[in-house]
Each structure stands twice: as structure tokens, then as C-alpha cells.
Amino acid sequence: MADYQYIKTETDGRVGIVWLNRPDVLNALNRKMVYEILSAFEAYDRDEDVRVILLAGKGRAFAAGADIEEMAEDDAVSMELLNQFADWDRLSLTKKPVIGAVHGYCLGGGFELALVCDLLFAADDAQFAFPEIKLGVMPGAGGTQRLTKLIGKSRALEWIWGGDMHTSKEAVELGIVNRLYPKDLLFKEAIQYARLLSEKPPLAVRLIKEAVHKAVDVPLQEGMYFERKNFYLLFSSEDQKEGMQAFVEKRKAEFKGR
Ligand code: CAA
């Protein structure tokens, strides 16, 4: 695995773990760090031994946002020339499931990173906010779009205009977070879930991810066609033959991801 400066990676069985590792600044996301996260996601996506990706933060926060110091002197043209958010966009092209385990601050760009995850588990101490308005700006890495799709226009406006902290309990109630755990159990529970998911047929897992994400963006009929193609596609896999044969033979299926 590559030598990273701002993240750490490790594997646990078939789970690839990415740790945000800039605890001195509450995992503030500078450009190199986002590039490293993307590199790790892409490497795990290509690695046949990894089936699920788990993203979590070292120190007392998941991530307190984009790195304000790095951004402070930016201007519109420099950001356009840099294609500032291209790496962010590529994060959501990850085919394998990404589980986020969030504790402490999950703010601004950190919240946007969490919203890229397919499922979110949170500690009871997690705090969510889009504080960009207090800096005279707004979310720029998908926050206005992804939060609105999740919780609706009125609530999203209230959260993003307000810029205030929201508890993990509120985030669960609104469907932003799947499950809530005491802080010291969060990682254990998240890895346990990731391990269970890594035992499921990997091709079905990724095509389900693709189809469910499609539902968020396209009209129903288009989504239905998309779902059908993925359903048919699975019938050309060895795992479909194995899964159905194992059912008939009353044994446990051995899925290979082919
Ligand atoms: N960027 C750069 N550094 C940050 C940071 C950020 N987003 N968040 C925290 N830090 C740094 C602090 O400057 C501090 O560094 P020093 O020790 O060198 O002074 C260190 O992390 C610890 O932070 P605090 O001492 O402030 O810790 P605290 O517990 O008192 O406060 C906090 C925590 C409320 C999260 C506060 O740090 C804070 O308000 N941070 C900024 C949050 C924010 O505005 N995030 C949005 C960024 S904009 C964005 O994300 C744009 C986008 O859409 C892409």
C-alpha cells in the first residue's frame, strides 16, 4: 500500500480501511489529503481482495471541513484552473460500498465527504454542520445537492443557511445517518457491519449500489430500465449460478465476485 502523508490505510480481512490522519487540525481536508483519499479508494476498488471500504477519522474528529488556511487566498480563476473539485467528483465513482464511521466534528467538506459514503454510522458525540456561511461562502463539494436530496429543500436550507451544529440523533432522525453508537463502540460496530457486507456476493453488492444511486438522480422509468439491465447482468455471473445451485443443494454459497 502506498505511503501517504495525511491518511493511513490498513486492511481487516476483505475490508479496506481509510483513516483520515491529520488530527492536529481535526482532519481538515487539504487538496493533497483529498487526492490521497481518492488514491486509496481507487486502489481498493481495483484490489480483488477488498470488497468493502471503511472511512473513519483519527483523533477527536471525523473532519472539520476543507482546510481554511489553504483556501483563504484562492480566487475563482485559480480554482477553475485547478479544477478544484475534480478529485471530489471522482470519489463518488467508487464501485465498492463505502461505509463512513463518523465521530466528533463532521463539518463543511468533512460533512460532504461523509455524504459521499453509501452508509453512515455515527458516534453519539458526532456533530454535523455546514459552517461555510460563517466564512462568507457556501458548500462547494456537493453539500447543497446531496443534503437536499437526502432531507428535502426546506430542511437543507435551514441547515445550510444556519451553519449551526446538529447532533447525531438529529442526523439519524432525518435519515442522514443509518445507525448511532456510543463513541467507544462505533468503530467495532462499523467494522463488524463491513465484514458482514464483505461476505455478500460482491457483484450483486456493487450493482445494487449503482442502481440505488441511480434512483436518486433519474425518473422512475429510466431507473427501472437501469435496474433490469443490472438484474440481467448478474445472470451472466458465476455467483448467480453458485448462489442458486447452493440453495437447491441446501448448502452455503461460496461467492467469488465473478
Ligand atoms: N481548516 C484548517 N484548520 C482547521 C480547520 C479547518 N477547517 N478546523 C480546525 N482547524 C484547526 C484549528 O485552526 C486549530 O489549529 P491550531 O491548533 O494550529 O490553532 C486546530 O484545528 C484545532 O481546532 P480548534 O482549536 O479551533 O478546536 P476547537 O475544539 O476549539 O474548535 C471547531 C473546533 C469548532 C471545529 C473549530 O476548529 C472550527 O470552527 N473549525 C472550522 C470549521 C469550518 O468552518 N469548516 C468548514 C470549512 S469550509 C469548507 O469545508 C468548504 C467546502 O465546502 C469544501
Side-chain angles (χ1 to χ4, degrees), residues 24-26 28 60 64-69 71 85 88 105 107-110 112 131-132 135 137-141 165:
D24 293 354
V25 285
L26 307 178
R60 66 184 170 101
D67 187 324
I68 299 171
E69 271 191 39
M71 234 175 349
F85 291 114
W88 286 86
Y105 295 113
L107 311 178
E112 288 170 309
E132 284 88 343
L135 302 168
V137 290
M138 61 183 278
M165 302 281 186

Side-chain angles (χ1 to χ4, degrees), residues 1-220:
M1 198 44 87
D3 202 9
Y4 296 112
Q5 187 178 358
Y6 298 120
I7 64 168
K8 267 194 175 153
T9 57
E10 61 181 297
T11 50
D12 176 303
R14 289 169 160 160
V15 181
I17 306 166
V18 178
W19 290 103
L20 307 176
N21 189 32
R22 231 191 143 197
D24 293 354
V25 285
L26 307 178
N27 295 326
L29 299 152
N30 62 21
R31 293 185 184 108
K32 177 149 191 242
M33 187 169 173
V34 175
Y35 177 73
E36 289 187 352
I37 298 164
L38 174 66
S39 304
F41 277 21
E42 289 182 338
Y44 282 146
D45 227 17
R46 284 190 299 267
D47 184 342
E48 285 205 20
D49 295 331
V50 168
R51 292 185 175 178
V52 177
I53 299 169
L54 180 60
L55 177 66
K58 292 270 187 203
R60 66 184 170 101
F62 176 75
D67 187 324
I68 299 171
E69 271 191 39
E70 184 185 61
M71 234 175 349
E73 299 305 323
D74 279 346
D75 62 61
V77 173
S78 69
M79 284 193 285
E80 169 59 26
L81 292 177
L82 207 58
N83 198 0
Q84 158 88 7
F85 291 114
D87 288 346
W88 286 86
D89 289 345
R90 282 168 64 198
L91 287 172
S92 57
L93 300 180
T94 310
K95 293 267 188 173
K96 291 177 185 169
V98 180
I99 316 292
V102 175
H103 76 288
Y105 295 113
C106 180
L107 311 178
F111 194 1
E112 288 170 309
L113 181 62
L115 291 175
V116 170
C117 298
D118 300 305
L119 300 181
L120 278 184
F121 294 170
D124 46 14
D125 77 333
Q127 297 191 69
F128 298 83
F130 279 117
E132 284 88 343
I133 194 148
K134 297 179 182 171
L135 302 168
V137 290
M138 61 183 278
T144 61
Q145 305 303 298
R146 290 207 170 91
L147 188 68
T148 305
K149 282 176 193 275
L150 262 180
I151 69 175
K153 176 204 75 175
S154 307
R155 286 186 178 120
L157 279 172
E158 214 181 343
W159 278 44
I160 301 170
W161 273 341
D164 308 314
M165 302 281 186
H166 296 269
T167 62
S168 47
K169 191 163 167 286
E170 281 176 87
V172 169
E173 281 162 4
L174 289 173
I176 298 168
V177 160
N178 291 77
R179 300 179 187 189
L180 191 56
Y181 294 106
K183 191 179 165 198
D184 48 348
L185 290 184
L186 172 70
F187 189 73
K188 190 168 156 267
E189 295 288 346
I191 193 89
Q192 188 161 326
Y193 179 90
R195 279 186 205 130
L196 285 176
L197 189 58
S198 75
E199 286 165 20
K200 309 234 187 256
L203 275 175
V205 167
R206 68 198 272 159
L207 295 189
I208 290 167
K209 167 171 171 166
E210 223 178 55
V212 169
H213 281 281
K214 200 72 169 175
V216 179
D217 292 328
V218 302
L220 179 65

